[in-house]
Amino acid sequence: DAKTTQPNSMESNEEEPVHLPCNHSTISGTDYIHWYRQLPSQGPEYVIHGLTSNVNNRMASLAIAEDRKSSTLILHRATLRDAAVYYCILRDWGNNAGNMLTFGGGTRLMVKP
Amino acid sequence: EAQVTQNPRYLITVTGKKLTVTCSQNMNHEYMSWYRQDPGLGLRQIYYSMNVEVTDKGDVPEGYKVSRKEKRNFPLILESPSPNQTSLYFCASSLSGRGGSPLHFGNGTRLTVT
């Protein structure tokens, strides 16, 4: 299974943009890139996903490198409620891919007022 | 409201006493899975199910069983719990097992085995 690598922690100031990186150098052509975040005492929450093109939704933007070996989750204006652990995972498109999903340690985002 | 519901939220038990953690989703999702979360180890997949009557092992299946007799339910069974199964457990579901389907997680079950 392709794995992802993320920094352990990052800090940001409130109302500033945040760029959370993820490396996935062994990504396969059929892997989707997913991002989730986990607030304290809650289950992980879906943020965004993409395959090749950059994606935007109401929560964030996802920038995918041209070679797909890395991606960046962009929070356009961080708020205190964005303080969480952010996970980047790969999910195969294939119908019978085994579908084991591996969440690494994620990036703990701290937002300073 | 679309959701994944786990019960109980908290459970304290003793070594060897069989227990079941229930997971139910109301979104008609085909795919369901179980994870455990331990400090410093992130989320590790225990078992997953691509559809009814189809289950497969994840990264850490030892000591656990699952069943998928109906689409909405995916219980996690610990036949003989041990202290090393003390952990925070999450159930998740998605429309399909295909890569473009976002996962929906429950709020977790904190299990303590003494």
Side-chain angles (χ1 to χ4, degrees):
Chain A
D1 290 328
K3 298 292 191 286
T4 62
T5 305
Q6 299 175 254
N8 289 335
S9 64
M10 290 184 65
E11 245 182 35
S12 170
N13 293 318
E14 198 176 11
E15 306 214 349
E16 289 186 357
V18 181
H19 290 230
L20 296 163
C22 181
N23 286 319
H24 27 80
S25 57
T26 58
I27 190 170
S28 77
T30 53
D31 280 330
Y32 277 80
I33 302 158
H34 285 237
W35 283 84
Y36 295 82
R37 71 179 187 181
Q38 187 174 20
L39 302 168
S41 303
Q42 293 187 26
E45 172 190 28
Y46 167 76
V47 177
I48 200 167
H49 77 280
L51 186 61
T52 57
S53 303
N54 295 344
V55 184
N56 300 298
N57 67 19
R58 62 173 180 82
M59 289 181 73
S61 295
L62 175 60
I64 301 172
E66 199 168 330
D67 63 5
R68 303 209 323 125
K69 293 185 176 181
S70 65
S71 62
T72 302
L73 179 71
I74 302 165
L75 306 179
H76 295 286
R77 288 180 65 197
T79 70
L80 297 178
R81 287 176 296 178
D82 291 323
V85 178
Y86 287 78
Y87 296 98
C88 163
I89 69 164
L90 302 178
R91 193 167 197 204
D92 197 299
W93 179 88
N95 195 38
N96 192 30
N99 227 266
M100 287 203 295
L101 295 174
T102 303
F103 285 71
T107 297
R108 181 173 298 279
L109 175 66
M110 292 168 279
V111 180
K112 296 184 291 185
Chain B
E1 180 190 349
Q3 59 187 358
V4 177
T5 304
Q6 292 179 229
N7 280 298
R9 289 294 308 276
Y10 301 92
L11 180 58
I12 301 173
T13 189
V14 296
T15 299
K17 187 176 180 182
K18 181 179 178 180
L19 66 90
T20 299
V21 183
T22 63
C23 174
S24 180
Q25 50 89 8
N26 62 359
M27 296 169 279
N28 202 34
H29 283 175
E30 289 186 351
Y31 179 91
M32 298 185 75
S33 59
W34 276 104
Y35 300 84
R36 62 177 288 173
Q37 185 171 37
D38 303 289
L41 295 176
L43 281 151
R44 293 180 293 169
Q45 192 173 47
I46 304 170
Y47 269 95
Y48 65 95
S49 170
M50 297 287 276
N51 213 325
V52 177
E53 301 291 3
V54 180
T55 62
D56 277 295
K57 296 177 181 179
D59 291 323
V60 288
E62 294 78 20
Y64 304 94
K65 284 175 57 177
V66 292
S67 69
R68 188 90 184 274
K69 293 186 170 60
E70 48 189 347
K71 205 171 191 178
R72 63 182 295 124
N73 296 322
F74 190 45
L76 179 69
I77 303 153
L78 284 73
E79 295 267 0
S80 182
S82 62
N84 65 11
Q85 293 178 300
T86 292
S87 187
L88 180 57
Y89 292 86
F90 290 101
C91 179
S93 72
S94 64
L95 186 62
S96 79
R98 291 179 181 248
S101 291
L103 287 163
H104 299 254
F105 285 83
N107 282 327
T109 296
R110 186 168 292 282
L111 171 66
T112 302
V113 183
T114 60

